[in-house]
Amino acid sequence: MSGNGTTAGDDPLQTAVWRLRSRGCWGDAAALLLPATPAAALQRAALLVERCLYTEEGWEEAEDALRTAEALAHSDDERGAAACERGYLAYAATLLAVRDRADEARAALGRAAALIPPGVPQRALLDFRRGLLAENLTSAPQAARAAYRRAHAGATAHADPLLLSFTWRHLAGLALREGELAEARHGFAESLRIREELGYLVGTAPALVSLADTETEPEASRLREEARRLYRLLGGVPTWLARRLSPAPPAATA
């Protein structure tokens, strides 16, 4: 989820991977990576795990890639990063009602927390995912907020704008739930701004819909229509966004 692949110093391979990933082409992006090193195997697994969350498909391929990454991991950092992806895959399966793997998600993220020390870049992503578990699987919004804030601080410190777009979004979601409309609008707007600047198309439609939830008409309808356009452009990804996009009104005829 973290890393944007768009900076001038990136190599052509990472730039190509990012461009495919940002357009929802996770399989094509993963195909560019040979799982010959721990880093490449982990990145490939992360792409395929992310595809599961956005498309609700590809679970077996993600499992296979993750097992490869786990087998190649030797250092604590590598094992911790693989455990973080394992927890995220189990979280996605539970959230999308594919299979209840909540206990596996908690155990894997707990193992990652024991291996990834505070202050390193990977810790911010881990904190964010622990916040997701707290919010969506445990229904513990206060714990989720604390985890998101740690992730937000880490993403800021390590200049990870894509992760920042997620922490802004989820902190805003908690604020909206509590009726803090101005705070929610600000957070959703920041998330959308970052995603548009990065060219993260696959995450832009959800950001538009969330911001629309805090706006009045006609701005809310304009944002939702833009989200529909992007959703169709990307072939109906993320799949779960369909539940938030009501059908557009029929066009007027002459």
Side-chain angles (χ1 to χ4, degrees), residues 4 16 31 51-53 100 103 115 122 159 163 169 178-179 207 251 253:
N4 61 63
R51 180 177 67 177
C52 292
L53 187 65
D100 187 350
D103 289 344
L115 292 167
Q122 297 92 330
L163 182 55
R169 174 173 164 75
E178 295 178 355
T253 55

Side-chain angles (χ1 to χ4, degrees), residues 21-34:
R21 175 194 177 192
S22 66
R23 287 157 177 77
C25 302
W26 296 278
D28 292 338
L32 297 178
L33 299 166
L34 297 176

